[in-house]
Amino acid sequence: MKERRFVRELVESKHRILMLSFVVGFVFLLLLIRLWHLQILNADDYQAMSENNRLRFVPVAASRGTIMDRTGAILVSNRPSFSLAVIPQEAKDREAILTLLSGLLGLDRADMAERWEKNEGRAKYYPIVLASNITRDQVEIIEENHFRLPGIEVEMKPVREYTSHQLAAHLLGYIGEISEKEMVLPGFDEYNPGDYIGKNGIERALEKELHGNDGGRQLEVDARGRVLRTVSESFPTVGNSVVLTIDGAIQKQAEKAFGEQAGAAVAMDVRTGEILAFVSNPGFDPSLFSGKLPADIWKGYLEDKRHPLENKALSGQYPPGSTYKMITALAGLQDNTINESSTVNCTGSYDLGSSTFKCWNKKGHGSTNLRKSLRESCDVFYYQLGEKLGVDKLAAAARSFRLGAPLGVELLNERSGLIPTAEWKLKRFGKRWYHGETLPVSIGQGAVLLTPIQLASMISTVANEGTIYRPHLVKKIVDADGKTIKETAPEILGITSFSKESYRAVKQGLFAVVNEPGGTGAAARQYDVKVAGKTGTSQVVKLHDSKMGTPYQYRDHALFVAFAPFDDPEIAVAVIVEHGEHGGTSAAPIAGRIIRAYLDGKKAPRKNMGGISSDDDDDENSDDEKESPTMKKNAVDGAAIHD
Amino acid sequence: MIDRRLILNIDWVLLGLAVAVCLLGILNIYSATTPYKVVGMAYYTKQCYWMLAGITISLVICSLDYHVLENFSYWLYGFLVLLLLAVLVIGKRSMGATRWLHLGFFNIQPSELMKLVIIVTFARFFNNFQSVGGLTVKEVLLPLTLLFLPAALIMKQPDLGTAALVIFIALSMILYVGLRWSTILTFIGVTIPMAFISWSYLLRPYQKNRVLDFLDPERSKLGSGYHIIQSKIAVGSGGFWGKGFIKGTQSQLRFLPEQHTDFAFSVFAEEWGFVGCLFLIILYISLVLWGLNIARRCNDRFGGLLAVGVTAMLFWHIVINMGMVTGLFPVVGVPLPFFSYGGTSMITSMVGIGLLQNISMRRFMF
């Protein structure tokens, strides 16, 4: 019975296969009829359509978002700029057109030919940019000769305008045409050759926010390129605006304070990690970079010994010198190797084995406790402490401050600095760590390297007694209607492992540096608010005695880190003057001026005046007046300053 | 181990047809990607590797007796449903839909595997199921539930094309088993109101747009309607003889969307014309009919069901893709088996060929 049923099933299913085969045949027949209908009955119509299918896409670049400082003052905005483009499918005679263009406009023929060839693989209706930034006169010549230049078009694109010229050039960065290398980067597939993207600084780091969405018009044109109709149009969306944490007024004062000197400064809000000023000096003119940079200016930048194109605040790595003593001190206090009253007798040098380690003061500091060691920056005190602690304990203290790794500021290519350990040396050089090498590390020399951002974070963390905030530059992102899209909340990266008591002991020393006789940082003193800080000198080359005759590139770097007000810290500043020789004389005054600018801004809150004024003459006078009380005070013990 | 007799029994017609379509596909990908800016290995080279990998996998599958699958089928089904759930929870978002699951060393698309697993599951189910005179409504409820669960999960991703394919494959197998007229009528009675509900509540806006674009391509000239119009122009302008290899203006000027993957057939139709299409369709008809022939010759029910399922999978891919390219169906993103560029589609199709081969080779050894 079951067998018979099974056989019946089998026979039935074979029968159904036959049915299915018919269905399959029928469906394919329908497909063939459809193809017959398209390819034979209506072939002529479709052939005509494909021949006239000259849909042309005219891109309309989105207006890039603006960049503002924390008060809403505009730092970067846009102005219109014109570029020359060709639509390959309509420009049949390339050679003739190029010759005509270079004749009429005086543009470089080879350059245009190269751009044309490079983009030939793309859709033939898509415009290729032959020359950017052409003048209004050139635009007019093109329009007059339009009939002789089939397929040639003028495109209007908004171009960046740096409202305050060179202000914060490294921070803001510049834009330029996308390169072939950048086009294959992840996230850049939507971009087309000729598009402008941020190359550097905030312009690059926040490219996705600032760029906006390019729009375009899909046009149907006839065989001669005449526009028949607009098939569709999508409007560009303006990029979002970026509000920085930077205060334009502080930034301006900070840059002015550097004058001709090379260096970097970072000012940070101790309570949030907001960066208030971000200086790398000397600057450059970012607007020059979006067009073709004149060769002589380029050469000038490259040959300048002060390296104006380098973002020193972000990627400069310097030995922190004596500013690092606060880390060594904290490590010692934490470890109970020292306490506030431990003293060391400084005789001007310290012998370890066969080596002699010198204090900067050859006469010696005599009996020195923690406070004095910071105030007068005694090296011997830290040599002895460092020797007792060992390099790995010093490194642990630095790591507790998150030094030795990028802190996560928004800009690309943040460097990590270097905190040496025994293990690091073994890996790097294959040699074990010698005890004597710990001594220079304890005073921030040797292999220790920090970036200016790390220096600022370090002093800020000391100021707030242990909280490490992520230093950040972007306050918020605002859309075209002024609505806030994203706002950066203060982010705590970590809490250091040191006790409040240890911090207070160290901070007392830092107070003495600025405010007590014999302190090395008196130049940062303010008449109304208590400032605390630490000087530093970082050796560029070892052993050079005749300081008078040292050539520029071999002179020591000068450092100063500070915070204020002492009792309830708000601002932390790190300043490095390259080859500035003495922290107390060249870096401390700059830090003082930055703190001054911050305090003045607090007293008279600025309103958004639409831009940071760049007419310097008026400002200069008033600035000098404001600063005079500080300067006079500083002059009193200025002579005694030495690091 | 592999029986020598099996090697002698390799179904050369089946393999030959699949490879022939693959080679035509590679030729066509070469033309379709000429206007592309390519970084790294060329698309047609990669497709060659995919083909070789696919053939190897299909040969590996031949060497294992397909009856083994019967024991695993429900486990496979359960595992796949779990994977589909995992995709919804942790899958990677790409192209506005969550389809991929990252396993560290490689990525899988469980919805693609589901096409094969539903075949195995249904084959197992109906193999143990005796019905006389066709399935009743009651008998069809359990398999429909088995189908509904993965189909709903795939729809949720959302991947309308694959969900439709899984459903079509399963329904084809049910038709093969046979239905009573009363069942068919009930089914129609339920489907129509269901369609109404899903239109009003379930379909995503972009899916609705695609359907509306299909019904009225003029609706959006730049969106998906634009794709259909450009594809129809490409196919139609090919005419009887075609424009010639790498001479299709629609493809070379890049008016076509995804012209190396889902719209590969419109490139082919433009360049090789009606003659070329006829040739390709004859290859496909032969392949599908041969698949059914394997099912017919197979003397056990499980094998027959499996063969019908795999053939249905190939058939529906072909019909939906060609229908889409010629403007008969909405744009749903279904590739043309062996012909469109893409590793996933190639491997799935070749696994299907491996299963058919397996059944074909063992027809005398029941």
Side-chain angles (χ1 to χ4, degrees):
Chain A
M1 182 66 187
K2 215 178 175 187
E3 291 272 298
R4 265 179 57 198
R5 207 176 180 187
F6 177 74
V7 171
R8 206 182 117 194
E9 272 268 344
L10 211 59
V11 172
E12 256 184 28
S13 65
K14 295 208 172 184
H15 177 69
R16 272 193 295 271
I17 289 283
L18 205 62
M19 297 281 290
L20 289 179
S21 304
F22 279 118
V23 174
V24 166
F26 179 70
V27 172
F28 275 110
L29 191 65
L30 285 180
L31 275 176
L32 276 174
I33 290 171
R34 176 64 176 175
L35 285 168
W36 176 274
H37 175 81
L38 290 173
Q39 296 190 294
I40 293 169
L41 289 183
N42 293 313
D44 292 344
D45 287 352
Y46 284 117
Q47 262 153 22
M49 278 162 94
S50 89
E51 241 154 70
N52 293 330
N53 205 347
R54 292 162 189 277
L55 287 186
R56 182 212 284 176
F57 187 71
V58 181
V60 180
S63 194
R64 217 175 153 80
T66 54
I67 305 178
M68 292 172 265
D69 85 344
R70 63 185 299 124
T71 64
I74 288 170
L75 301 173
V76 189
S77 61
N78 305 296
R79 67 175 166 77
S81 145
F82 303 95
S83 57
L84 175 67
V86 62
I87 291 144
Q89 71 175 11
E90 278 148 36
K92 294 277 179 326
D93 190 351
R94 182 203 297 186
E95 297 309 311
I97 286 173
L98 284 176
T99 311
L100 195 57
L101 278 176
S102 63
L104 284 171
L105 307 172
L107 294 168
D108 184 11
R109 191 179 190 281
D111 192 43
M112 290 191 289
E114 196 195 319
R115 283 167 182 250
W116 196 330
E117 267 159 42
K118 230 192 259 168
N119 292 302
E120 241 168 353
R122 304 167 57 230
K124 296 277 183 283
Y125 56 88
Y126 200 90
I128 298 172
V129 175
L130 295 181
S132 312
N133 256 334
I134 58 172
T135 64
R136 276 179 197 269
D137 290 344
Q138 287 171 323
V139 171
E140 233 155 79
I141 295 171
I142 294 165
E143 311 238 286
E144 277 166 23
N145 293 284
H146 202 243
F147 64 99
R148 294 163 69 192
L149 296 164
I152 293 293
E153 296 213 323
V154 172
E155 287 177 359
M156 202 275 279
K157 274 187 182 172
V159 142
R160 283 314 230 189
E161 190 161 46
Y162 296 83
T163 329
S164 336
H165 303 292
Q166 304 206 358
L167 190 81
H170 295 95
L171 164 63
L172 299 173
Y174 48 85
I175 62 168
E177 246 177 79
I178 189 165
S179 69
E180 279 167 80
K181 271 186 198 160
E182 284 161 334
M183 284 198 64
V184 295
L185 287 179
F188 283 84
D189 356 317
E190 303 269 298
Y191 288 75
N192 287 300
D195 283 356
Y196 274 75
I197 64 159
K199 293 277 183 180
N200 237 309
I202 290 289
E203 294 272 31
R204 172 71 181 86
L206 291 160
E207 163 67 22
K208 292 279 153 186
E209 294 289 352
L210 289 164
H211 192 91
N213 287 320
D214 292 344
R217 282 193 300 275
Q218 191 113 39
L219 302 175
E220 198 177 319
V221 293
D222 68 7
R224 287 181 199 157
R226 284 182 303 208
V227 176
L228 297 178
R229 66 196 179 99
T230 304
V231 179
S232 70
E233 187 163 12
S234 62
F235 295 98
T237 12
V238 182
N240 294 326
S241 290
V242 174
V243 178
L244 298 175
T245 57
I246 295 295
D247 184 320
I250 301 177
Q251 178 78 20
K252 200 177 152 204
Q253 284 303 319
E255 289 186 14
K256 219 193 265 175
F258 270 94
E260 290 300 303
Q261 301 174 97
V266 175
M268 226 171 101
D269 191 315
V270 169
R271 302 156 297 183
T272 57
E274 287 180 348
I275 295 177
L276 301 170
F278 184 92
V279 181
S280 178
N281 212 56
F284 56 87
D285 186 350
S287 62
L288 290 175
F289 284 80
S290 53
K292 247 197 158 176
L293 192 68
D296 54 324
I297 294 184
W298 177 240
K299 207 173 155 217
Y301 282 146
L302 286 187
E303 285 176 359
D304 193 330
K305 268 191 261 178
R306 301 169 303 164
H307 308 293
L309 296 180
E310 186 183 83
N311 188 345
K312 299 181 178 73
L314 180 73
S315 9
Q317 301 187 104
Y318 305 91
S322 300
T323 61
Y324 200 66
K325 285 173 183 167
M326 60 186 80
I327 302 281
T328 309
L330 282 168
L333 290 165
Q334 187 71 5
D335 199 51
N336 288 323
T337 309
I338 53 164
N339 58 38
E340 267 184 84
S341 48
S342 332
T343 56
V344 157
N345 186 29
C346 170
T347 58
S349 68
Y350 179 66
D351 295 324
L352 182 75
S354 57
S355 316
T356 301
F357 293 87
K358 285 180 185 163
C359 187
W360 68 266
N361 188 346
K362 287 171 199 146
K363 291 175 212 151
H365 291 97
S367 172
T368 305
N369 63 7
L370 175 68
R371 190 185 180 96
K372 186 177 172 190
S373 77
L374 285 166
R375 181 178 69 214
E376 294 170 30
S377 202
C378 172
D379 293 334
V380 168
F381 184 90
Y382 291 94
Y383 288 147
Q384 294 196 16
L385 178 53
E387 189 202 342
K388 281 179 204 147
L389 288 169
V391 69
D392 289 336
K393 269 188 192 160
L394 287 177
R399 292 211 193 286
S400 178
F401 271 77
R402 299 281 163 128
L403 302 176
L407 286 160
V409 73
E410 289 92 338
L411 302 177
L412 274 66
N413 303 323
E414 188 188 350
R415 303 287 290 271
S416 48
L418 178 63
I419 303 299
T421 58
E423 194 192 338
W424 163 81
K425 194 188 168 194
L426 200 64
K427 253 190 213 157
R428 179 81 205 285
F429 299 105
K431 284 181 191 157
R432 74 176 187 85
W433 184 270
Y434 294 102
H435 211 53
E437 290 173 296
T438 309
L439 274 56
V441 169
S442 63
I443 61 157
Q445 308 285 0
V448 193
L449 292 174
L450 294 183
T451 66
I453 292 181
Q454 288 173 327
L455 280 167
S457 169
M458 176 182 83
I459 186 67
S460 167
T461 303
V462 170
N464 69 32
E465 298 177 1
T467 310
I468 307 153
Y469 288 97
R470 184 173 70 82
H472 59 276
L473 288 158
V474 178
K475 195 167 172 63
K476 56 185 178 184
I477 309 283
V478 181
D479 72 6
D481 304 324
K483 220 175 71 196
T484 302
I485 301 171
K486 278 183 222 163
E487 197 155 10
T488 315
E491 186 191 331
I492 295 174
L493 292 176
I495 309 282
T496 59
S497 52
F498 309 105
S499 68
K500 298 272 173 199
E501 288 70 37
S502 306
Y503 275 115
R504 272 167 217 153
V506 168
K507 280 166 83 177
Q508 281 302 327
L510 301 183
F511 177 77
V513 167
V514 179
N515 299 289
E516 285 179 8
T520 53
R525 204 180 291 171
Q526 301 297 319
Y527 66 92
D528 50 353
V529 165
K530 289 186 207 160
V531 178
K534 182 74 197 79
T535 51
T537 303
S538 68
Q539 278 182 0
V540 175
V541 286
K542 280 185 180 170
L543 302 174
H544 44 86
D545 286 325
S546 62
K547 293 223 166 153
M548 288 299 288
T550 316
Y552 174 77
Q553 65 267 36
Y554 298 134
R555 288 178 210 159
D556 292 339
H557 297 320
L559 290 94
F560 193 71
V561 296
F563 66 88
F566 177 72
D567 296 314
D568 189 11
E570 292 170 14
I571 182 174
V573 184
V575 175
I576 175 148
V577 179
E578 285 193 351
H579 313 295
E581 298 196 306
H582 306 296
T585 46
S586 57
I590 295 173
R593 264 180 91 169
I594 294 172
I595 291 169
R596 184 74 253 145
Y598 171 79
L599 296 172
D600 289 345
K602 248 179 65 173
K603 270 185 205 158
R606 282 174 307 277
K607 285 189 189 102
N608 176 12
M609 289 176 292
I612 310 297
S613 63
S614 48
D615 40 321
D616 290 43
D617 295 336
D618 291 350
D619 276 15
E620 206 97 49
N621 295 333
S622 56
D623 288 342
D624 287 350
E625 275 166 25
K626 259 181 247 161
E627 272 162 28
S628 46
T630 340
M631 300 301 270
K632 270 176 209 153
K633 281 204 164 183
N634 290 346
V636 180
D637 14 47
I641 297 166
H642 201 312
D643 181 13
Chain B
M1 276 315 294
I2 303 170
D3 199 315
R4 256 194 69 234
R5 279 178 300 165
L6 288 181
I7 296 169
L8 294 174
N9 285 330
I10 279 191
D11 192 332
W12 293 107
V13 176
L14 181 69
L15 191 62
L17 285 169
V19 169
V21 178
C22 283
L23 294 177
L24 272 185
I26 289 165
L27 194 70
N28 188 59
I29 288 164
Y30 180 85
S31 169
T33 55
T34 310
Y36 282 17
K37 177 182 87 179
V38 179
V39 182
M41 200 192 281
Y43 286 99
Y44 64 91
T45 320
K46 283 197 225 164
Q47 185 76 349
C48 286
Y49 285 124
W50 282 121
M51 178 183 77
L52 295 175
I55 292 172
T56 313
I57 288 174
S58 84
L59 290 177
V60 169
I61 288 171
C62 299
S63 61
L64 306 160
D65 192 337
Y66 65 91
H67 291 98
V68 181
L69 280 173
E70 201 172 352
N71 304 329
F72 290 119
S73 53
Y74 289 153
W75 289 106
L76 278 174
Y77 177 84
F79 181 61
L80 249 287
V81 168
L82 282 179
L83 279 187
L84 283 172
L85 278 169
V87 164
L88 287 184
V89 182
I90 55 169
K92 172 204 174 196
R93 286 202 79 78
S94 73
M95 311 275 288
T98 326
R99 291 176 195 172
W100 295 88
L101 200 60
H102 289 248
L103 295 183
F105 51 102
F106 76 124
N107 308 324
I108 56 167
Q109 210 177 338
S111 55
E112 193 68 23
L113 288 174
M114 198 66 219
K115 291 176 194 163
L116 292 164
V117 170
I118 200 78
I119 296 169
V120 178
T121 311
F122 268 49
R124 158 89 193 254
F125 183 83
F126 287 116
N127 188 29
N128 300 337
F129 197 92
Q130 301 292 331
S131 85
V132 184
L135 299 163
T136 61
V137 175
K138 218 173 140 189
E139 284 166 335
V140 98
L141 278 181
L142 186 57
L144 282 186
T145 314
L146 279 177
L147 168 62
F148 175 79
L149 186 59
L153 288 172
I154 296 169
M155 199 96 83
K156 190 95 211 297
Q157 290 183 358
D159 185 351
L160 194 61
T162 309
L165 276 165
V166 169
I167 292 170
F168 286 167
I169 292 166
L171 292 184
S172 306
M173 291 178 77
I174 292 176
L175 270 181
Y176 168 66
V177 173
L179 290 170
R180 284 168 197 254
W181 277 109
S182 60
T183 317
I184 296 173
L185 288 175
T186 317
F187 199 56
I188 293 170
V190 175
T191 314
I192 290 168
M194 278 280 282
F196 178 78
I197 291 168
S198 56
W199 177 262
S200 319
Y201 301 107
L202 294 177
L203 289 184
R204 296 276 172 115
Y206 88 93
Q207 293 168 332
K208 282 193 192 180
N209 272 334
R210 282 180 172 183
V211 177
L212 289 175
D213 285 344
F214 158 66
L215 295 172
D216 179 15
E218 301 289 317
R219 220 172 67 88
S220 110
K221 277 264 184 183
L222 204 62
S224 37
Y226 171 84
H227 295 170
I228 293 184
I229 293 170
Q230 293 299 348
S231 177
K232 272 165 74 181
I233 293 175
V235 174
S237 66
F240 191 76
W241 294 108
K243 294 178 185 170
F245 188 52
I246 324 191
K247 286 189 181 142
T249 53
Q250 286 289 98
S251 52
Q252 300 307 318
L253 297 180
R254 298 187 63 178
F255 284 109
L256 290 171
E258 322 228 359
Q259 58 186 27
H260 62 304
T261 56
D262 293 354
F263 282 84
F265 181 62
S266 54
V267 176
F268 185 78
E270 186 186 22
E271 297 188 344
W272 299 97
F274 186 72
V275 176
C277 293
L278 189 65
F279 181 66
L280 183 63
I281 286 179
I282 287 172
L283 286 180
Y284 274 132
I285 294 177
S286 313
L287 187 64
V288 171
L289 291 182
W290 194 255
L292 289 177
N293 186 41
I294 289 171
R296 193 183 56 80
R297 287 189 313 196
C298 178
N299 282 322
D300 75 302
R301 195 174 155 84
F302 182 68
L305 280 159
L306 215 53
V308 167
V310 170
T311 310
M313 176 179 86
L314 296 175
F315 172 76
W316 286 114
H317 271 98
I318 299 161
V319 169
I320 293 175
N321 181 278
M322 288 192 171
M324 167 181 94
V325 165
T326 54
L328 287 173
F329 298 146
V331 178
V332 281
V334 168
L336 197 54
F338 310 112
F339 195 79
S340 291
Y341 173 80
T344 313
S345 160
M346 177 64 86
I347 299 296
T348 314
S349 308
M350 278 295 187
V351 168
I353 292 295
L355 286 172
L356 285 177
Q357 191 76 255
N358 200 331
I359 299 158
S360 179
M361 280 175 359
R362 287 184 175 77
R363 65 182 183 272
F364 307 115
M365 316 180 67
F366 189 69

